[in-house]
Amino acid sequence: MTMPETHEQTGSYAWVLKPITEIRGVRHALTMTLDGMVQAISEDLTKDEADGIGAMTAALHSASRAATNAVLGAPRSTPLKTVTSHNDRGIYMVMPVGEGTNTLIAAAGDEDMPMGVVAATMARQAMKLGEQIMSVPARTSNGAS
């Protein structure tokens, strides 16, 4: 896993992707904020590809959350657990990283990748990353922790 030098948090979340990309059939993985800012990417994605995917994924997640909550009559603030897209080229899965964070984790793979294994691994890694994010002390208005 690498993260291009041009991304602000070089390597800080790359560790979370390694177990996902080691699964048979997984081609790419990345983490991004809810507004599409990429935090970490798998080796086979370029910065430009990742930035575009991050923006589209944030929009996909937001639209899916709104549609799901509307059709199910859930409050607008109800979090979405997973978004999965599937076409003849493969599968793309997206999930939030813990409650109260603004981070998403995503993986794309071949049609024959084991979705259950990928989903379970993503959930485990998302939980670990969520715990790490939530354990970082908040900054005060003067910039101190």
Side-chain angles (χ1 to χ4, degrees), residues 29-52:
L30 62 158
T31 63
M32 73 221 66
T33 62
L34 287 175
D35 60 0
M37 298 297 297
V38 175
Q39 298 164 318
I41 62 174
S42 56
E43 295 171 350
D44 296 336
L45 288 174
T46 67
K47 177 195 178 315
D48 288 341
E49 289 170 328
D51 287 343

Side-chain angles (χ1 to χ4, degrees), residues 28-86:
H28 308 294
L30 62 158
T31 63
M32 73 221 66
T33 62
L34 287 175
D35 60 0
M37 298 297 297
V38 175
Q39 298 164 318
I41 62 174
S42 56
E43 295 171 350
D44 296 336
L45 288 174
T46 67
K47 177 195 178 315
D48 288 341
E49 289 170 328
D51 287 343
I53 292 166
M56 290 182 279
T57 300
L60 171 69
H61 181 268
S62 178
S64 295
R65 179 178 171 179
T68 301
N69 289 344
V71 75
L72 296 176
R76 293 175 72 181
S77 62
T78 303
L80 191 60
K81 295 185 180 191
T82 307
V83 176
T84 303
S85 299
H86 186 189

Side-chain angles (χ1 to χ4, degrees), residues 12-137:
S12 64
Y13 294 163
W15 61 269
V16 79
L17 303 178
K18 187 170 177 47
I20 298 165
T21 58
E22 290 176 342
I23 299 169
R24 176 187 48 81
V26 173
R27 286 188 238 159
H28 308 294
L30 62 158
T31 63
M32 73 221 66
T33 62
L34 287 175
D35 60 0
M37 298 297 297
V38 175
Q39 298 164 318
I41 62 174
S42 56
E43 295 171 350
D44 296 336
L45 288 174
T46 67
K47 177 195 178 315
D48 288 341
E49 289 170 328
D51 287 343
I53 292 166
M56 290 182 279
T57 300
L60 171 69
H61 181 268
S62 178
S64 295
R65 179 178 171 179
T68 301
N69 289 344
V71 75
L72 296 176
R76 293 175 72 181
S77 62
T78 303
L80 191 60
K81 295 185 180 191
T82 307
V83 176
T84 303
S85 299
H86 186 189
N87 67 19
D88 62 350
R89 300 285 308 265
I91 302 162
Y92 187 51
M93 298 172 63
V94 181
M95 64 179 61
V97 172
E99 289 189 37
T101 72
N102 72 341
T103 303
L104 299 171
I105 188 168
D110 300 331
E111 193 168 319
D112 63 344
M113 79 176 183
M115 285 181 60
V117 173
V118 173
T121 304
M122 285 177 65
R124 184 177 58 249
Q125 293 304 99
M127 185 172 51
K128 288 178 183 178
L129 182 55
E131 289 170 357
Q132 178 182 332
I133 291 170
M134 296 306 287
S135 70
V136 174

